[in-house]
Amino acid sequence: PEGTLVSWNFITADTDSVSIKFDNDVTLNQAKNISESSFALSKRIKKTTSYDISLRNKHISNQSDINYYINVIPDKLPVIDFTQLRDSSLYNYVLLGGNIADDYGLSKFKLFYKKQEDAVYKSLNIPFNKNQTTQNFYYQFNVASLNLERGDKLSYYLQLWDNDGVNGNKSVKTGTL
């Protein structure tokens, strides 16, 4: 997965240095000499990359580098799929329900709302399970508590954040309803 810390441990014979050159780096990454015959290197990998390993000693370096390839699976945007039902008789609530998902996990889920004359949106947390990557949700938005007057217009939308610790949390939001 994107952001994985990859560690290499080399056990060698007659080797003074081990280095790795990644296709997107301009510099060599020198492995740390742990003992007479072992070297180690760690690097956080964010993109698919190929890399070459070079071995050297005081007499010669290897004639051709050893080539490898790491395929990185990127962290996708979270997804909200929902429907809404409005109380058509008293207009006391809006029922929101559907499915939320992310490939690695979710961190926040909110409902943003405002009356037409308000300058900024207010928000409410929508409960969900942070331990599940895909789940159903149901939320009853109590519109009656807003004390709307006849002719008032209410707008709202949902916003969902993933738990991307590598690039920072990404979010998606629905259109304004």
Side-chain angles (χ1 to χ4, degrees), residues 10-18 33 35-39 54-62:
F10 301 97
I11 305 299
T12 63
D14 300 319
T15 302
D16 296 331
S17 70
V18 176
N33 191 337
S35 69
E36 186 176 310
S37 62
S38 66
F39 297 83
S54 297
L55 307 173
R56 300 190 192 292
N57 69 19
K58 60 186 172 190
H59 302 290
I60 194 167
S61 64
N62 56 316

Side-chain angles (χ1 to χ4, degrees), residues 7-158:
S7 297
W8 291 266
N9 294 301
F10 301 97
I11 305 299
T12 63
D14 300 319
T15 302
D16 296 331
S17 70
V18 176
S19 59
I20 298 179
K21 170 85 168 71
F22 294 90
D23 68 356
N24 52 358
D25 284 351
V26 292
T27 60
L28 284 176
N29 294 270
Q30 201 65 36
K32 183 179 179 186
N33 191 337
I34 304 298
S35 69
E36 186 176 310
S37 62
S38 66
F39 297 83
L41 177 77
S42 293
K43 181 173 177 72
R44 188 160 311 277
I45 305 295
K46 293 185 177 185
K47 305 190 285 192
T48 296
T49 185
S50 61
Y51 63 95
D52 302 327
I53 298 174
S54 297
L55 307 173
R56 300 190 192 292
N57 69 19
K58 60 186 172 190
H59 302 290
I60 194 167
S61 64
N62 56 316
Q63 295 297 331
S64 60
D65 293 338
I66 305 163
N67 307 90
Y68 292 95
Y69 181 80
I70 297 176
N71 186 31
V72 173
I73 301 166
D75 189 10
K76 297 178 183 173
L77 288 171
V79 175
I80 304 171
D81 181 28
F82 80 103
T83 58
Q84 63 176 339
L85 298 172
R86 295 179 185 184
D87 175 7
S88 59
S89 58
L90 299 173
Y91 301 106
N92 285 331
Y93 66 88
V94 174
L95 181 62
L96 302 166
N99 186 277
I100 56 174
D102 186 62
D103 48 357
Y104 293 109
L106 301 164
S107 64
K108 286 191 294 190
F109 189 27
K110 293 186 177 238
L111 168 70
F112 289 88
Y113 66 94
K114 75 172 187 164
K115 292 189 220 179
Q116 186 176 18
E117 66 272 3
D118 293 343
V120 296
Y121 280 90
K122 296 177 183 171
S123 69
L124 296 169
N125 290 319
I126 298 178
F128 70 99
N129 185 341
K130 289 185 179 185
N131 296 321
Q132 291 181 319
T133 57
T134 300
Q135 59 194 284
N136 294 323
F137 75 92
Y138 299 97
Y139 186 75
Q140 185 170 321
F141 179 31
N142 184 1
V143 177
S145 67
L146 301 177
N147 300 318
L148 296 174
E149 300 285 331
R150 187 175 215 63
D152 282 349
K153 295 196 183 216
L154 178 68
S155 60
Y156 55 93
Y157 64 90
L158 299 171

